[in-house]
Amino acid sequence: MLRSYGRKMQLSRLLKPFTKVNLTNLFSMRINEGVNKTISSNYITTYYDTKDISLEKEIHTNMLVQEDFLSENEEMSLFHEVDPYMRRLRYEYDHWDNAIHGFRETERRSWNEENQKILNRVKDIAFPPEVPKLAYVHILDLEKKGYIKPHIDAVRFCGNTIAGLSLLSSSVMRLVHDKDKNKYADILLKRRSLYIMKDAIRYEYSHEVLPEAESKFKGQIIPKDRRISIILRNEPNEEDTK
Ligand code: OGA
Ligand code: MN
């Protein structure tokens, strides 16, 4: 049943890989080798980094990151429910049509009571009550060396809003405008945070999760480890499913 609902359609097929753009020139940030190995919140005060004022405005309206959305106990509670299943899968690597490298994934419809409560809190923040949510929650396990290439989630399988919880590791998400690669921003996704992206940020910008070697935010190294994200989406617009 899980598969016939379209496990694959919602998962990797949902991702349309973009040609990798080389942003190294644009991102000439200073690297604090060995200094700020951990993320200190007094050093980083905002969760986004962009030089583009119009994108900054767009982020204010359509992208939210809530730090410490999960308590440590809640993080472990979610982890313990998904990990036994994830461990049975093998990490997958680059296929030509894959936007993700070093990952395993699944979908889950029913959760234990405690975890369902957490997911309901996410739904309450991310979606208005009348908006139909996908019944299956997407779970993506990226190994330490794993990363997500730039892509826009297929409109055929996902509506205007994507909400994600980050478990086990912090990471850096990069947004790049689909038609103007000079319009970009980095978003710091701390461990236990919730992010919500919607509308223009969801449709007009590709998102990616940077590999370990590029995992920096405002010049500070963001150490990467195995990361599990738990992602909720709403149902696609009807006209996009035809
Ligand atoms: C995806 C995706 C981001 C994340 O699976 O489409 O972009 O937070 N995931 O894992
Ligand atoms: Mn995505």
Side-chain angles (χ1 to χ4, degrees):
M1 235 11 244
L2 189 78
R3 271 191 172 270
S4 68
Y5 177 78
R7 198 181 97 77
K8 274 298 172 190
M9 72 97 193
Q10 203 205 320
L11 306 178
S12 337
R13 296 307 170 276
L14 185 119
L15 315 175
K16 256 183 40 218
F18 277 54
T19 357
K20 183 87 182 153
V21 283
N22 190 346
L23 288 173
T24 32
N25 301 338
L26 305 172
F27 285 83
S28 50
M29 299 196 262
R30 217 159 57 81
I31 306 162
N32 295 318
E33 283 290 356
V35 192
N36 291 294
K37 283 279 184 198
T38 54
I39 310 162
S40 59
S41 38
N42 54 3
Y43 181 70
I44 293 172
T45 52
T46 46
Y47 58 80
Y48 61 85
D49 184 19
T50 183
K51 297 187 185 77
D52 189 291
I53 291 167
S54 67
L55 174 51
E56 182 170 1
K57 271 184 156 164
E58 205 75 85
I59 290 171
H60 285 169
T61 326
N62 290 317
M63 176 116 206
L64 172 80
V65 179
Q66 192 165 319
E67 244 182 68
D68 291 317
F69 180 85
L70 298 172
S71 67
E72 290 182 19
N73 285 341
E74 288 171 331
E75 176 190 37
M76 282 307 115
S77 169
L78 288 164
F79 173 69
H80 286 132
E81 186 163 10
V82 300
D83 188 53
Y85 181 82
M86 298 316 281
R87 284 156 72 120
R88 306 211 306 255
L89 309 174
R90 259 177 307 167
Y91 285 113
E92 294 178 40
Y93 299 89
D94 244 358
H95 304 296
W96 67 273
D97 64 340
N98 250 345
I100 316 181
H101 185 86
F103 74 104
R104 45 194 184 185
E105 64 184 348
T106 187
E107 286 183 311
R108 182 175 285 261
R109 192 191 169 101
S110 47
W111 295 81
N112 71 37
E113 203 181 323
E114 183 183 355
N115 291 337
Q116 189 57 59
K117 273 190 201 152
I118 301 169
L119 299 178
N120 288 345
R121 270 172 56 215
V122 176
K123 287 183 191 167
D124 287 346
I125 296 187
F127 311 98
E130 69 279 7
V131 166
K133 275 74 76 179
L134 293 181
Y136 284 87
V137 174
H138 179 192
I139 301 150
L140 179 67
D141 180 343
L142 273 185
E143 64 166 352
K144 183 176 166 71
K145 292 197 172 357
Y147 57 94
I148 305 178
K149 297 176 200 171
H151 68 278
I152 295 175
D153 289 21
V155 296
R156 221 177 145 203
F157 305 121
C158 167
N160 74 327
T161 304
I162 301 165
L165 294 167
S166 297
L167 274 53
L168 308 182
S169 175
S170 299
S171 62
V172 179
M173 177 178 271
R174 180 166 295 162
L175 305 172
V176 182
H177 195 279
D178 190 20
K179 302 214 164 66
D180 177 3
K181 307 292 181 215
N182 293 313
K183 250 177 116 160
Y184 59 86
D186 282 348
I187 308 285
L188 178 62
L189 300 180
K190 285 193 191 172
R191 177 178 184 178
R192 292 188 291 277
S193 67
L194 165 71
Y195 71 84
I196 300 168
M197 62 167 93
K198 65 181 175 72
D199 299 334
I201 296 286
R202 177 258 184 272
Y203 292 115
E204 292 168 25
Y205 292 80
S206 64
H207 54 276
E208 60 195 293
V209 170
L210 301 180
E212 198 179 11
E214 295 167 45
S215 189
K216 289 164 208 139
F217 184 79
K218 297 186 178 177
Q220 184 181 340
I221 291 176
I222 306 302
K224 232 176 132 285
D225 213 319
R226 177 186 176 197
R227 168 180 184 267
I228 294 180
S229 49
I230 298 188
I231 306 162
L232 289 84
R233 298 177 170 92
N234 57 336
E235 282 186 11
N237 300 321
E238 213 188 312
E239 59 272 23
D240 290 327
T241 60
K242 286 171 189 144

